[in-house]
Amino acid sequence: MGLTKCCILILCFAGILPQSINISNRSENETQPFIEIGSKYYLINTATTMNWFGAVLFCRNYDSDLAVIESLAEMNALSFYLTTNEGHIGKNFWLGLTDLADEGKFMSLKDGRPMLYAKWAGGQPDNAGQNEDCVHLWAFENIFYMNDNNCIAQHYAICELRQPKKTCDVCDLKNFMERFMQHTNIPNCRN
Ligand SMILES: [Ca+2]
Ligand SMILES: [Ca+2]
């Protein structure tokens, strides 16, 4: 009997594991109106400009965060999209990065940690007028860089969809196993 229950346990384990892994593969319906660019999903709003705080709220309204570019690969993917799709060239886009809390220390709004990646324009960040605390994407000759700007400047918003928390796959699996063992009165497979 012990062996049978262990086999059931293994089969259940094998059955739910692929489902856990597939959580990160999102369907198109799930990600609308966000579009896949590189490894993330973005919503690029070019309908209206807004200040940085307005951009933060705009993204929250879509259960997302003002975009934070965290690697050269993400910068390249987003830059390529913006420079090859009509309607985005020459525009400035707010990012979820600010040094409002501590001058000179740019932090990521989405996780409260120091910014991981920067591609500052020449001479930036300069905190011009001692009043530039919000970061935006700035295009020079069709190449995007970062600049600190006055937070009440009017730019467009780029939002990014939150990544599924992969650790929860393991949590879900662990919880399932615990519930299964409680309901089947299996102390453990070694008995
Ligand atoms: Ca500043
Ligand atoms: Ca600046």
Side-chain angles (χ1 to χ4, degrees):
M1 183 61 77
L3 181 63
T4 304
K5 286 183 177 177
C6 278
C7 288
I8 292 169
L9 208 58
I10 290 167
L11 286 172
C12 289
F13 183 89
I16 65 168
L17 192 58
Q19 290 175 24
S20 299
I21 291 170
N22 284 337
I23 284 172
S24 59
N25 294 333
R26 298 176 167 192
S27 68
E28 197 170 316
N29 286 341
E30 190 187 355
T31 59
Q32 283 286 345
F34 290 75
I35 51 173
E36 189 173 11
I37 302 173
S39 59
K40 288 183 174 177
Y41 291 85
Y42 296 98
L43 173 60
I44 303 170
N45 171 32
T46 54
T48 181
T49 57
M50 55 195 85
N51 66 37
W52 187 80
F53 303 97
V56 170
L57 295 174
F58 174 86
C59 294
R60 290 294 298 121
N61 195 36
Y62 283 91
D63 292 325
S64 64
D65 297 302
L66 198 53
V68 177
I69 299 168
E70 296 171 301
S71 67
L72 175 62
E74 288 181 23
M75 184 71 187
N76 287 342
L78 193 54
S79 291
F80 181 77
Y81 181 87
L82 293 173
T83 53
T84 53
N85 282 270
E86 202 173 331
H88 301 109
I89 298 165
K91 290 184 167 62
N92 295 317
F93 298 94
W94 284 124
L95 297 175
L97 296 161
T98 179
D99 71 339
L100 269 168
D102 192 356
E103 177 55 40
K105 293 182 180 174
F106 288 92
M107 307 293 284
S108 163
L109 192 68
K110 73 174 194 176
D111 60 15
R113 295 173 185 162
M115 69 189 292
L116 289 173
Y117 171 81
K119 184 184 176 185
W120 295 112
Q124 305 299 334
D126 61 354
N127 197 39
Q130 299 186 331
N131 198 24
E132 291 193 332
D133 300 326
C134 295
V135 179
H136 70 103
L137 279 180
W138 201 13
F140 279 115
E141 297 178 348
N142 219 21
I143 299 172
F144 280 93
Y145 299 90
M146 296 177 187
N147 173 46
D148 57 340
N149 203 349
N150 192 312
C151 299
I152 60 168
Q154 296 287 306
H155 299 318
Y156 296 97
I158 297 184
C159 311
E160 72 172 57
L161 209 51
R162 291 177 179 165
Q163 309 268 5
K165 291 184 180 174
K166 290 180 181 165
T167 51
C168 279
D169 297 353
V170 179
C171 294
D172 291 344
L173 192 61
K174 181 172 176 284
N175 291 338
F176 173 85
M177 296 294 276
E178 285 176 355
R179 283 200 303 275
F180 181 83
M181 292 178 81
Q182 283 170 1
H183 288 301
T184 53
N185 294 319
I186 300 174
N188 61 58
C189 281
R190 285 188 293 275
N191 289 345

